[in-house]
């Protein structure tokens, strides 16, 4: 392969006087899991928004399989195979859980990959929900999203993301607000996605779980990349320790 | 001993995957009656009514279309305060085509429906990005602006308007046509909103960012919803123009923007049938109170307040709940 799977070059974004992301560059190989960590306000979520088109970068490029994603609209990027989840869950509250997946399944990309626009989308949706850990044939998948507990909504968020059959999955704090048991049951789901050949970018505060999954870690602080490499190497760097020690109480708590 | 109201769904809709199993004529009737009875009832009342009340019913149907159109837009998250824009543009297109080109109503009404929808969609295309109150503000201003433009430039008859427009076949034909269109609009749009396509539209109302991340172009879908909605309202405008044989500046009046919203508030939003029901209450009530002169508006407004305070969910939601659920008081031990 001539061009890398994902290559981010000098990505910058400022909101007013605040430099949320400044001159961030990194590369990611196919079928690897990249963890993005850093203290609160480090620009992790802005980075995700820049990658998926929800925020337009001031400067810089996002090359996905050689194509520049910077400046494209979110739905176009999704149809190119970069799907994301939101930190604050965004389900369609008026719809039953399985009907939530009909929307991504109606997207041009999913239609093209599943083939045929009149296929039974409900059945596909139920398969997807089973994949992320919903019990098949349980009442839960018929319930409106407005009455589902947080743990299920996070799974729904992930299901909506993989319904697009993406090549690159961007997870924005998937584990936040979940109990240890719930996180433990989601980790195998992500492992399975990796086995299927997906490339994953995870923004996470739960370092222990993240380091078990991640192949590569990017550490951010005040909008800048301060470290990049294998999880163990990164955590031994002095600058990373300083960034984290400064906010030990907030960040170290759940790690 | 405290008591609480327990509600149970009537066990008609047995869900076996996606098929609703109906076991008897009684169950079939349970599903069909609420849909067929209003259609028959309106037909019977329409046939027996005096010529004056037939006209009122025709007017109710047209305002009903405006209300359905409003509710459709609201279901996609676009709260319009300017139904008069859609209504007026449809009315003027039909009027102009008939007055200057002498086209028959059978040609002008379809042309005004499609043309009106296209014009309105084009006019509002730049503001589709706006959400919530900002979209509402623009739609509120546009019809008032067009009214002033017509007054200032004196196009299409200016303040006088265009009169002597060819009428529709008087009496029953006009009335039946109005009814048929209302029922077609109601049932087809209800069906559409329950299809997968409708799910996307509802999803945009729920969470537009999530729809974008699902790989769907929300502006494309919003524009389609706007086209459908403004088409329905433009039809109402064109129909009224031919029925009254006149088109003028009043078609852009605030009344046509406010009435659908009042109807939706009374009838119940988000159901399409609710706003239509609201029209069947508000418009005839307005006619009945006509003899009271100046007091009419006061009583009308009071009734609106009573409805909204007494049944904030809307009449249709209330009836639907009573129809589909058993209710009983059960004792709670605490």
């Amino acid at each position: 392969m001539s061009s890398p799977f994902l290559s981010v070059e000098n990505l910058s974004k400022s909101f007013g006087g605040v430099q949320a992301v400044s001159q961030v560059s990194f590369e990611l190989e196919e079928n690897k899991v990249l963890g993005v960590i850093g203290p609160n306000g480090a620009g992790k979520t802005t980075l995700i928004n820049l990658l998926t088109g929800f925020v337009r970068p001031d400067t810089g490029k996002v090359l996905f399989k050689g194509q520049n994603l910077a400046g494209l609209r979110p739905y176009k990027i999704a149809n190119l195979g970069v799907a994301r989840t939101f930190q604050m869950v965004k389900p369609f509250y008026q719809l039953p859980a399985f009907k939530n997946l009909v929307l991504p399944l109606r997207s041009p990309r999913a239609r093209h990959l599943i083939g045929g626009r009149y296929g039974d989308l409900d059945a596909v949706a139920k398969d997807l929900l089973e994949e992320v850990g919903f019990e098949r044939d349980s009442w839960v998948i018929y319930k409106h999203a407005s009455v589902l507990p947080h743990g299920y909504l996070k799974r729904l968020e992930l299901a909506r993301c993989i319904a697009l059959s993406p090549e690159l999955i961007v997870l924005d704090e998937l584990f936040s607000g979940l109990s240890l048991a719930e996180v433990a049951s989601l980790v195998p789901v992500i492992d399975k996605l990796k086995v299927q050949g997906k490339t994953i970018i995870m923004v996470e505060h739960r370092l222990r779980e993240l380091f078990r999954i991640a192949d590569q870690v990017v550490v951010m602080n005040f909008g800048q990349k301060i470290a990049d490499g294998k999880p163990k190497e990164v955590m031994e760097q002095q600058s990373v320790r300083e960034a984290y020690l400064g906010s030990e109480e907030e960040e170290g708590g759940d790690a | 001993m405290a008591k609480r109201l327990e509600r149970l769904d009537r066990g008609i809709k047995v869900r076996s995957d996606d098929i609703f199993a109906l076991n008897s004529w009684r169950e079939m009737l349970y599903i069909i009656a609420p849909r067929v009875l209003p259609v028959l009832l309106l037909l019977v009342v329409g046939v027996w009514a005096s010529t004056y009340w037939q006209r009122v019913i025709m007017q109710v149907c047209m305002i009903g279309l405006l209300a359905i159109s409003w509710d459709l837009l609201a279901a996609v998250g676009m709260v319009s305060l300017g139904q008069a824009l859609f209504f007026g543009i449809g009315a003027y297109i039909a009027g102009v085509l008939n007055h200057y080109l002498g086209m028959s109503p059978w040609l002008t009404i379809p042309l005004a429906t499609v043309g009106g929808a296209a014009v309105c969609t084009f006019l509002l295309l730049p503001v589709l990005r706006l959400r919530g109150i900002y979209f509402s503000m623009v739609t509120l201003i546009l019809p008032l602006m067009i009214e002033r433009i017509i007054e200032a430039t004196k196009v299409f008859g200016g303040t006088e308007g265009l009169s002597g427009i060819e009428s529709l076949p008087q009496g029953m034909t006009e009335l039946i046509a109005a009814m048929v269109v209302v029922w077609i609009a109601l049932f087809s749009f209800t069906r559409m909103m329950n299809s997968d396509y409708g799910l996307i539209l509802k999803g945009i109302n729920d969470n537009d960012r999530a729809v974008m991340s699902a790989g769907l172009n929300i502006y494309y879908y919003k524009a389609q919803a706007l086209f459908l909605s403004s088409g329905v309202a433009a039809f109402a405008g064109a129909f009224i123009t031919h029925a009254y044989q006149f088109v003028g500046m009043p078609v852009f009046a605030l009344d046509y923007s406010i009435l659908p919203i009042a109807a939706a508030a009374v009838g119940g939003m988000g159901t399409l049938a609710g706003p239509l029901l609201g029209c069947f209450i508000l418009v005839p009530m307005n006619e009945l109170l006509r003899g009271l002169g100046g007091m009419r508006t006061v009583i009308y407004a009071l009734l609106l307040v009573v409805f909204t305070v007494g049944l904030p969910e809307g009449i249709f939601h209330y009836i639907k709940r009573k129809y589909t659920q058993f209710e009983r008081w059960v004792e709670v031990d605490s």
Side-chain angles (χ1 to χ4, degrees):
Chain A
M1 219 162 65
S2 55
S3 56
F5 183 72
L6 180 76
S7 147
V8 175
E9 293 169 12
N10 300 322
L11 210 55
S12 294
K13 176 73 195 179
S14 62
F15 297 108
V18 184
Q19 192 73 36
V21 171
S22 100
Q23 300 291 318
V24 170
S25 305
F26 62 85
E27 285 192 0
L28 180 61
E29 284 171 43
E30 193 167 2
N31 202 10
K32 296 283 183 207
V33 178
L34 169 71
V36 179
I37 61 171
N40 285 335
K44 304 183 298 292
T45 298
T46 307
L47 180 66
I48 299 296
N49 284 338
L50 288 170
L51 291 182
T52 52
F54 282 86
V55 172
R56 278 174 190 234
D58 296 335
T59 60
K61 282 181 184 173
V62 179
L63 294 170
F64 173 65
K65 298 202 291 183
Q67 189 180 357
N68 190 6
L69 300 183
L72 289 184
R73 298 203 176 288
Y75 74 92
K76 286 220 168 112
I77 293 179
N79 280 314
L80 285 171
V82 181
R84 70 168 294 181
T85 66
F86 290 93
Q87 182 185 357
M88 310 299 287
V89 287
K90 296 191 188 297
F92 305 115
Y93 288 108
Q94 299 174 23
L95 310 181
F98 76 104
K99 285 285 186 192
N100 265 261
L101 300 186
V102 168
L103 280 91
L105 288 175
R106 293 266 307 197
S107 68
R109 179 184 174 82
R111 266 194 207 164
H112 175 71
L113 290 174
I114 294 168
R117 65 184 280 190
Y118 300 107
D120 188 358
L121 294 183
D122 288 1
V124 181
K126 286 170 191 169
D127 288 344
L128 281 166
L129 283 178
E130 201 177 7
E131 212 170 297
V132 296
F134 278 80
E135 267 177 67
R136 202 186 178 89
D137 299 328
S138 78
W139 53 270
V140 182
I141 60 170
Y142 296 106
K143 283 275 172 189
H144 280 233
S146 53
V147 299
L148 288 185
H150 188 68
Y152 277 119
L153 292 181
K154 281 280 182 180
R155 284 163 197 276
L156 195 58
E157 194 76 17
L158 180 59
R160 206 180 59 216
C161 170
I162 59 177
L164 282 163
S165 328
E167 288 171 65
L168 175 62
I169 299 176
V170 186
L171 305 173
D172 193 358
E173 297 203 26
L174 186 69
F175 296 155
S176 71
L178 296 184
S179 71
L180 280 175
E182 285 171 321
V183 171
S185 69
L186 262 178
V187 170
V189 174
I190 293 168
D191 281 339
K192 215 168 99 189
L193 288 173
K194 199 187 160 191
V195 171
Q196 288 170 4
K198 314 273 189 203
T199 312
I200 301 171
I201 296 180
M202 297 178 80
V203 168
E204 236 0 289
H205 276 309
R206 302 234 188 177
L207 300 186
R208 191 172 297 163
E209 284 85 359
L210 180 70
F211 284 1
R212 214 173 287 158
I213 309 169
D215 303 300
Q216 183 188 345
V217 170
V218 165
V219 189
M220 291 185 68
N221 199 14
F222 297 114
Q224 283 167 331
K225 186 178 89 169
I226 56 170
D228 184 355
K230 292 231 158 58
K232 265 192 184 161
E233 296 164 11
V234 163
M235 283 321 271
E236 278 159 10
Q237 286 185 26
Q238 190 61 34
S239 56
V240 176
R241 288 177 171 271
E242 273 168 16
Y244 264 86
L245 279 174
S247 53
E248 179 80 79
E249 297 209 322
E250 295 162 38
E251 305 300 324
D254 52 359
Chain B
M1 224 23 156
K3 284 192 171 188
R4 96 189 151 79
L5 194 61
E6 190 185 56
R7 296 198 176 115
L8 295 166
D9 279 357
R10 287 181 207 271
I12 300 290
K13 288 184 177 177
V14 182
R15 188 176 255 284
S16 58
D17 222 5
D18 272 335
I19 300 157
F20 294 115
L22 297 177
N23 293 322
S24 67
W25 284 107
R26 201 171 151 264
E27 288 180 2
M28 206 115 51
L29 199 65
Y30 177 83
I31 303 284
I32 290 173
R35 288 159 178 83
V36 171
L37 278 182
V39 177
L40 291 179
L41 192 70
L42 184 65
L43 189 66
V44 171
V45 171
V47 170
W48 279 8
S50 65
T51 320
Y52 173 74
W53 280 99
Q54 280 183 343
R55 277 254 133 156
V56 174
I57 292 174
M58 189 272 296
Q59 203 187 340
V60 170
C61 289
M62 289 306 117
I63 303 292
L65 282 180
L66 271 186
I68 289 174
S69 147
W70 182 88
D71 207 34
L72 189 69
L73 266 192
V76 195
M78 296 185 277
V79 178
S80 147
L81 295 178
Q83 290 304 99
L85 172 71
F86 310 153
F87 185 84
I89 288 194
Y92 260 96
I93 290 180
V96 166
L97 286 181
N98 184 264
H99 189 266
Y100 294 110
L101 303 175
M103 289 187 187
S104 92
W106 304 111
L107 212 57
T108 61
I109 293 180
L111 278 176
T113 307
V114 179
V119 170
C120 295
T121 311
F122 182 75
L123 274 178
L124 289 175
L125 220 45
V127 295
L128 278 186
R129 283 174 184 285
L130 303 182
R131 274 189 285 186
I133 188 86
Y134 304 103
F135 178 84
S136 309
M137 271 155 50
V138 173
T139 53
L140 177 66
I141 296 301
L142 275 177
L144 303 176
M145 202 177 77
I146 291 180
E147 207 179 338
R148 294 291 148 248
I149 290 174
I150 291 172
E151 189 184 357
T153 59
K154 298 187 172 63
V155 286
F156 309 139
T159 47
E160 306 280 304
L162 304 172
S163 48
I165 284 164
E166 191 181 333
S167 75
L168 291 162
Q170 290 286 330
M172 288 310 289
T173 323
E174 185 186 272
L175 182 65
I176 301 282
M179 283 184 195
V180 167
V181 172
V182 166
W183 296 124
I184 289 178
L186 176 64
F187 290 122
S188 54
F189 281 133
T190 308
R191 199 184 160 89
M192 186 189 87
M193 286 314 281
N194 289 327
S195 71
D196 283 358
Y197 178 78
L199 294 189
I200 297 176
L201 298 183
K202 282 182 193 165
I204 293 172
N205 185 21
D206 240 344
N207 209 317
D208 52 358
R209 281 167 76 86
V211 180
M212 280 192 260
S213 77
L216 297 164
N217 183 356
I218 60 167
Y219 305 114
Y220 180 57
Y221 282 96
K222 275 184 165 183
Q224 288 174 351
L226 186 59
F227 185 87
L228 289 174
S229 163
S230 53
V232 171
F235 174 91
F239 197 91
I240 288 272
T241 293
H242 282 289
Y244 291 161
Q245 293 161 274
F246 168 77
V247 62
M249 275 167 35
V251 292
F252 285 111
L254 207 52
D255 303 29
Y256 290 115
S257 301
I258 300 300
L259 203 55
I261 302 173
V266 169
M269 295 176 201
T271 52
L272 297 180
L276 184 60
L277 180 67
C279 285
F280 276 103
I281 294 166
L282 290 184
V283 179
M285 198 166 79
N286 200 8
E287 291 299 321
L288 286 173
L289 296 175
R290 204 169 275 276
L292 295 174
M295 282 302 283
R296 181 176 71 147
T297 325
V298 177
I299 294 178
Y300 191 71
L302 270 178
L303 280 170
L304 261 181
V305 171
V306 168
F307 271 127
T308 17
V309 172
L311 276 177
E313 57 181 343
I315 299 170
F316 186 79
H317 284 290
Y318 178 80
I319 296 175
K320 196 178 171 189
R321 189 153 49 75
K322 290 286 172 197
Y323 189 74
T324 53
Q325 292 181 326
F326 291 115
E327 283 178 348
R328 64 176 179 196
W329 288 97
V330 288
E331 293 192 342
V332 200
D333 26 58
S334 55

